[in-house]
Amino acid sequence: MANIFTKIINGEIPCYKVAETDEFLAFLDINPNAKGHTLCIPKVEVDKIFDLDKETYGSLMEFSRTVAIAIKKVIPCKRVGMTVIGLEVPHAHVHLIPLNSMDDARFISKEKLTPEEFETTAKAIASYVEL
Ligand code: AMP
């Protein structure tokens, strides 16, 4: 059975899309550590990020860098952090998280956003993505 991120890729469940190429998709994390917390995923269904083939792994990092640069332009923060965990969703993904303090990287305190805030945040970041 397809995992939840593959369902997002296939349009079976919605997401707040930030960027998309033939190979990759970026969308806002639905339970964000901070406003602008974004997930970058390959469209190929591989669970663990280090099991991706070398080329896809490298391209995912390049895609994530492009998205991170756009996040930094939109969300006031000290820097954009990058984390890989994968304990919840078995589909390789990179977390890009606007950081102002170490707490923002700890996946403990969460930010509540309205659907409208998700929508405007995704659109704002998308407008700065230069693919
Ligand atoms: P992990 O697999 O531990 O890296 O965590 C998976 C992340 O995916 C969590 O931060 C969730 O909030 C996020 N997540 C799960 N389902 C969705 C969804 N449908 N849309 C956006 N983000 C999601």
Side-chain angles (χ1 to χ4, degrees), residues 49-74:
I49 196 163
F50 299 124
D51 287 340
L52 288 171
D53 66 78
K54 241 169 130 176
E55 197 189 321
T56 306
Y57 176 81
S59 301
L60 174 62
M61 290 301 125
E62 186 57 41
F63 179 75
S64 300
R65 175 178 177 273
T66 300
V67 174
I69 288 168
I71 293 171
K72 185 72 182 74
K73 286 181 177 157
V74 173

Side-chain angles (χ1 to χ4, degrees), residues 5 8 27-31 39 85-89 93 95:
F5 286 175
I8 288 175
F27 53 95
L28 295 182
D29 193 299
I30 206 69
N31 188 21
L39 303 175
I85 301 178
L87 289 172
E88 187 184 320
V89 178
H93 54 279
H95 292 261

